[in-house]
């Protein structure tokens, strides 16, 4: 596929910057607890914006590009659901106040977007100039999906993360929160607050998540514009979606195995791509089927309650 024209990159940049600016200034200009209604409205707005942008891609770049954007967005959005559980663990482990959680999630946006750009463009360059790396990406996805099915795969401790430990070595951490501040000057030296530690942990999760999700998207498209723009819309919508789904998602007991199945399917697709290519339409059908089965099974066989 031919690379996207400059005006599409400009439309994408303006849409993202404007959406983030409205979110941070109009809806979250001050610290507040995010209600379920507000979170669901914001999530719907991000999904709607992504779908409108997909229409622009479809009209400007053609049917295949529009289909690839939608499939990439669905893959990224599905896999990003698992990150909500990790954010929930981070905030619970570090005792982040509810009214400060939005600031933590959105303060790391620039770093997340830059890191995702590096992964996408590096991955596409590798695939173009060194084809066998396709099998490496496929193997990573297969291994990750299988590992997700093992007992204890979702155990996570922010304190053991190497970035968090490095932060504590470089900067002393205060014994409590200092309002909305990430860094404070006390006793003549700079100290990090637990809010800053939470930010580092969230950024670390973004890096780990990119290792799994970017190869999954590259199994669908090799176009840098489609891959990156779909990633950006998905991860920004994830931050709004967190507040609406953090309490709801744990009730879907089969959702985590479904995400593992998606990774296994996409990894297998990459490994057999040279001999048995799978179309974008078939991929979308498989993704929809896996998620639908997981949701229906969770409703029919809900998680057993406490005795």
């Amino acid at each position: 596929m031919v690379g996207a024209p400059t005006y599409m990159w400009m439309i994408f940049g303006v849409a993202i910057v404007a959406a983030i600016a409205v979110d941070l200034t109009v809806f979250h200009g001050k610290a507040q607890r995010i209600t379920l209604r507000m979170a669901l409205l914001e999530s719907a707005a991000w999904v709607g914006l992504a779908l409108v942008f997909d229409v622009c891609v479809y009209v400007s770049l053609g049917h295949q590009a529009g289909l690839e954007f939608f499939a990439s967005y669905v893959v990224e959005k599905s896999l990003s659901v698992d990150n909500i559980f990790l954010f929930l663990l981070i905030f619970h482990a570090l005792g982040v106040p509810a009214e400060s959680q939005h600031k933590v999630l959105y303060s790391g946006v620039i770093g997340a977007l830059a890191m995702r750009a590096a992964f996408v463009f590096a991955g596409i360059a590798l695939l173009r100039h060194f084809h066998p790396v396709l099998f490496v990406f496929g193997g990573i996805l297969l291994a990750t999906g299988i590992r997700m099915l093992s007992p204890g795969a979702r155990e996570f401790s922010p304190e053991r993360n190497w970035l968090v430990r490095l932060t504590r070595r470089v900067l002393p951490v205060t014994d409590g929160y200092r309002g909305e501040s990430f860094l404070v000057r006390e006793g003549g030296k700079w100290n990090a607050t637990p809010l800053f530690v939470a930010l580092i942990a969230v950024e670390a999760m973004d890096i780990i998540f990119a290792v799994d999700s970017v190869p999954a998207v590259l199994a669908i498209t090799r176009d840098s514009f489609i891959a990156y723009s779909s990633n950006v819309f998905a991860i920004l919508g994830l931050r709004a979606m967190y507040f609406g789904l953090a309490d709801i998602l744990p009730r879907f007991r089969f959702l985590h195995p479904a995400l593992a199945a998606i990774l296994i399917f996409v990894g297998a697709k990459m490994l057999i791509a040279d001999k048995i290519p799978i179309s974008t339409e078939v991929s979308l059908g498989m993704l929809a089927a896996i998620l639908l089965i997981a949701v229906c099974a969770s409703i029919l066989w809900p998680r057993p309650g406490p005795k």
Side-chain angles (χ1 to χ4, degrees), residues 185-207:
R185 191 171 180 83
E186 295 179 351
K189 60 181 180 180
W190 286 101
N191 294 264
T193 67
L195 204 64
F196 185 75
V197 176
L199 174 62
I200 296 298
V202 167
E203 288 293 278
M205 286 304 99
D206 280 331
I207 294 173

CSV table of all heavy atoms in Angstrom, one decimal, residues 185-207:
chain,number,residue,atom,x,y,z
A,185,ARG,N,9.9,19.8,46.4
A,185,ARG,CA,11.2,20.1,47.0
A,185,ARG,C,11.1,20.2,48.5
A,185,ARG,O,10.4,21.1,49.0
A,185,ARG,CB,11.8,21.4,46.4
A,185,ARG,CG,13.2,21.7,46.7
A,185,ARG,CD,13.7,22.9,45.9
A,185,ARG,NE,15.1,23.2,46.3
A,185,ARG,CZ,16.1,22.6,45.7
A,185,ARG,NH1,15.9,21.7,44.8
A,185,ARG,NH2,17.4,23.0,46.0
A,186,GLU,N,11.8,19.3,49.2
A,186,GLU,CA,11.7,19.2,50.6
A,186,GLU,C,13.1,19.0,51.2
A,186,GLU,O,13.9,18.2,50.6
A,186,GLU,CB,10.8,18.1,51.1
A,186,GLU,CG,9.3,18.3,50.7
A,186,GLU,CD,8.4,17.1,51.2
A,186,GLU,OE1,9.0,16.1,51.7
A,186,GLU,OE2,7.2,17.2,51.1
A,187,GLY,N,13.4,19.7,52.2
A,187,GLY,CA,14.7,19.6,52.8
A,187,GLY,C,15.9,20.0,51.9
A,187,GLY,O,17.0,19.4,52.0
A,188,GLY,N,15.6,20.9,51.0
A,188,GLY,CA,16.6,21.4,50.1
A,188,GLY,C,16.9,20.5,48.9
A,188,GLY,O,17.9,20.7,48.2
A,189,LYS,N,16.1,19.4,48.7
A,189,LYS,CA,16.4,18.5,47.5
A,189,LYS,C,15.0,18.0,47.0
A,189,LYS,O,14.0,18.1,47.7
A,189,LYS,CB,17.2,17.3,48.0
A,189,LYS,CG,16.6,16.5,49.1
A,189,LYS,CD,17.5,15.3,49.4
A,189,LYS,CE,17.0,14.4,50.5
A,189,LYS,NZ,17.8,13.3,50.9
A,190,TRP,N,15.1,17.6,45.7
A,190,TRP,CA,13.9,17.2,45.1
A,190,TRP,C,13.5,15.7,45.5
A,190,TRP,O,14.4,14.9,45.6
A,190,TRP,CB,14.0,17.2,43.5
A,190,TRP,CG,14.0,18.6,43.0
A,190,TRP,CD1,15.0,19.4,42.6
A,190,TRP,CD2,12.8,19.4,42.8
A,190,TRP,NE1,14.6,20.6,42.2
A,190,TRP,CE2,13.2,20.7,42.3
A,190,TRP,CE3,11.4,19.2,43.0
A,190,TRP,CZ2,12.4,21.7,42.0
A,190,TRP,CZ3,10.6,20.2,42.7
A,190,TRP,CH2,11.0,21.5,42.2
A,191,ASN,N,12.2,15.6,45.7
A,191,ASN,CA,11.7,14.2,46.1
A,191,ASN,C,10.6,13.9,45.1
A,191,ASN,O,9.8,14.7,44.7
A,191,ASN,CB,11.2,14.2,47.5
A,191,ASN,CG,12.3,14.5,48.5
A,191,ASN,OD1,12.8,13.5,49.1
A,191,ASN,ND2,12.6,15.7,48.8
A,192,ALA,N,10.5,12.6,44.8
A,192,ALA,CA,9.3,12.1,44.0
A,192,ALA,C,8.2,11.7,45.0
A,192,ALA,O,8.5,11.4,46.1
A,192,ALA,CB,9.8,10.9,43.2
A,193,THR,N,7.0,11.9,44.5
A,193,THR,CA,5.9,11.5,45.3
A,193,THR,C,5.4,10.1,44.8
A,193,THR,O,5.7,9.7,43.7
A,193,THR,CB,4.7,12.5,45.2
A,193,THR,OG1,4.2,12.5,43.8
A,193,THR,CG2,5.2,13.9,45.5
A,194,PRO,N,4.5,9.4,45.6
A,194,PRO,CA,4.0,8.2,45.1
A,194,PRO,C,3.2,8.3,43.8
A,194,PRO,O,3.1,7.4,43.0
A,194,PRO,CB,3.1,7.7,46.2
A,194,PRO,CG,3.7,8.4,47.5
A,194,PRO,CD,4.2,9.7,47.0
A,195,LEU,N,2.7,9.5,43.5
A,195,LEU,CA,2.0,9.8,42.2
A,195,LEU,C,3.0,9.7,41.1
A,195,LEU,O,2.6,9.2,40.0
A,195,LEU,CB,1.4,11.2,42.2
A,195,LEU,CG,0.2,11.4,41.3
A,195,LEU,CD1,-1.0,10.5,41.7
A,195,LEU,CD2,-0.2,12.9,41.3
A,196,PHE,N,4.2,10.1,41.3
A,196,PHE,CA,5.3,10.0,40.2
A,196,PHE,C,5.6,8.5,40.0
A,196,PHE,O,5.9,8.1,38.9
A,196,PHE,CB,6.5,10.8,40.6
A,196,PHE,CG,7.6,10.8,39.5
A,196,PHE,CD1,7.4,11.6,38.4
A,196,PHE,CD2,8.7,10.1,39.7
A,196,PHE,CE1,8.4,11.7,37.4
A,196,PHE,CE2,9.7,10.1,38.7
A,196,PHE,CZ,9.5,10.9,37.6
A,197,VAL,N,5.7,7.8,41.1
A,197,VAL,CA,6.0,6.3,41.0
A,197,VAL,C,4.9,5.6,40.2
A,197,VAL,O,5.2,4.8,39.4
A,197,VAL,CB,6.1,5.7,42.4
A,197,VAL,CG1,6.4,4.2,42.3
A,197,VAL,CG2,7.3,6.4,43.1
A,198,ALA,N,3.6,6.0,40.4
A,198,ALA,CA,2.5,5.5,39.7
A,198,ALA,C,2.6,5.8,38.2
A,198,ALA,O,2.4,4.9,37.3
A,198,ALA,CB,1.2,6.0,40.2
A,199,LEU,N,3.1,7.0,37.9
A,199,LEU,CA,3.3,7.4,36.5
A,199,LEU,C,4.3,6.6,35.8
A,199,LEU,O,4.1,6.1,34.7
A,199,LEU,CB,3.6,8.9,36.4
A,199,LEU,CG,4.0,9.5,35.0
A,199,LEU,CD1,2.8,9.3,34.1
A,199,LEU,CD2,4.5,10.9,35.2
A,200,ILE,N,5.4,6.3,36.5
A,200,ILE,CA,6.5,5.5,35.9
A,200,ILE,C,6.0,4.1,35.7
A,200,ILE,O,6.3,3.4,34.7
A,200,ILE,CB,7.7,5.5,36.9
A,200,ILE,CG1,8.3,6.9,37.0
A,200,ILE,CG2,8.8,4.5,36.4
A,200,ILE,CD1,8.8,7.4,35.7
A,201,ALA,N,5.2,3.5,36.7
A,201,ALA,CA,4.7,2.2,36.5
A,201,ALA,C,3.8,2.1,35.3
A,201,ALA,O,3.8,1.1,34.6
A,201,ALA,CB,4.0,1.8,37.8
A,202,VAL,N,2.9,3.1,35.1
A,202,VAL,CA,2.0,3.1,34.0
A,202,VAL,C,2.8,3.2,32.6
A,202,VAL,O,2.5,2.5,31.7
A,202,VAL,CB,1.0,4.3,34.1
A,202,VAL,CG1,0.3,4.5,32.7
A,202,VAL,CG2,0.0,4.1,35.2
A,203,GLU,N,3.8,4.0,32.6
A,203,GLU,CA,4.7,4.1,31.4
A,203,GLU,C,5.4,2.8,31.1
A,203,GLU,O,5.5,2.4,30.0
A,203,GLU,CB,5.7,5.2,31.6
A,203,GLU,CG,5.2,6.6,31.6
A,203,GLU,CD,4.6,7.0,30.2
A,203,GLU,OE1,5.4,7.4,29.3
A,203,GLU,OE2,3.4,6.9,30.0
A,204,ALA,N,5.8,2.1,32.2
A,204,ALA,CA,6.4,0.8,32.0
A,204,ALA,C,5.5,-0.2,31.4
A,204,ALA,O,5.8,-1.0,30.5
A,204,ALA,CB,7.0,0.3,33.3
A,205,MET,N,4.2,-0.1,31.8
A,205,MET,CA,3.2,-1.0,31.3
A,205,MET,C,2.9,-0.7,29.8
A,205,MET,O,2.7,-1.6,29.0
A,205,MET,CB,1.9,-0.9,32.1
A,205,MET,CG,1.9,-1.6,33.4
A,205,MET,SD,2.4,-3.3,33.3
A,205,MET,CE,4.2,-3.3,33.7
A,206,ASP,N,3.0,0.6,29.4
A,206,ASP,CA,2.8,1.0,28.0
A,206,ASP,C,3.9,0.4,27.2
A,206,ASP,O,3.7,-0.1,26.0
A,206,ASP,CB,2.8,2.5,27.9
A,206,ASP,CG,1.5,3.1,28.2
A,206,ASP,OD1,0.4,2.4,28.1
A,206,ASP,OD2,1.4,4.3,28.7
A,207,ILE,N,5.1,0.3,27.7
A,207,ILE,CA,6.2,-0.2,26.9
A,207,ILE,C,6.1,-1.7,26.7
A,207,ILE,O,6.2,-2.3,25.6
A,207,ILE,CB,7.6,0.1,27.6
A,207,ILE,CG1,7.9,1.6,27.6
A,207,ILE,CG2,8.7,-0.7,26.9
A,207,ILE,CD1,9.1,2.0,28.5
